[in-house]
Amino acid sequence: MKLTRGYFGARKNVWTVAKNTWEKGLTYAYRDRRNKKRAFRSLWIQRINAAARLNGLSYSQLMGALSKAGIEINRKVLADLAMNNPEAFKAIVEKVK
């Protein structure tokens, strides 16, 4: 019952309802730990694509050029550069063009 403290209505004080709610919450937590990775990858791709288009390339062209040039940099770092350090991102784009 301590684990369901703060829930609304019978979910906090009726044993069977509280137990079922808590177990369902655990399954959501397990599922969403994996979905979070998917959502962040999607966000990184959108940010890289927006920054790449400002520099005259599409996302797929940029990623293809990066792999062809042998530059191994992951999407998380590229997205961070695109958001917080556009000069460095532009330098990477110019290097692969």
Side-chain angles (χ1 to χ4, degrees):
M1 297 299 266
K2 286 182 182 177
L3 297 170
T4 59
R5 211 177 66 205
Y7 287 12
F8 185 79
R11 292 172 166 235
K12 71 173 172 275
N13 57 11
V14 177
W15 173 255
T16 54
V17 179
K19 181 180 71 73
N20 292 340
T21 302
W22 177 71
E23 287 174 348
K24 186 71 167 185
L26 290 178
T27 62
Y28 285 141
Y30 178 83
R31 179 197 69 190
D32 290 337
R33 279 194 299 275
R34 278 123 193 99
N35 287 351
K36 184 170 78 168
K37 295 165 182 54
R38 190 182 315 163
F40 269 104
R41 182 180 168 99
S42 175
L43 176 67
W44 297 332
I45 289 172
Q46 291 170 17
R47 288 178 174 177
I48 294 167
N49 189 28
R53 288 183 186 274
L54 290 175
N55 290 297
L57 289 175
S58 69
Y59 170 78
S60 61
Q61 290 169 336
L62 175 65
M63 297 310 283
L66 282 171
S67 66
K68 196 177 283 186
I71 299 174
E72 293 183 10
I73 186 168
N74 63 20
R75 288 166 180 82
K76 182 179 180 179
V77 173
L78 270 176
D80 186 54
L81 286 175
M83 291 294 294
N84 300 320
N85 199 345
E87 302 84 24
F89 186 82
K90 186 172 184 171
I92 291 172
V93 171
E94 294 301 324
K95 183 155 177 105
V96 299
K97 270 189 177 178

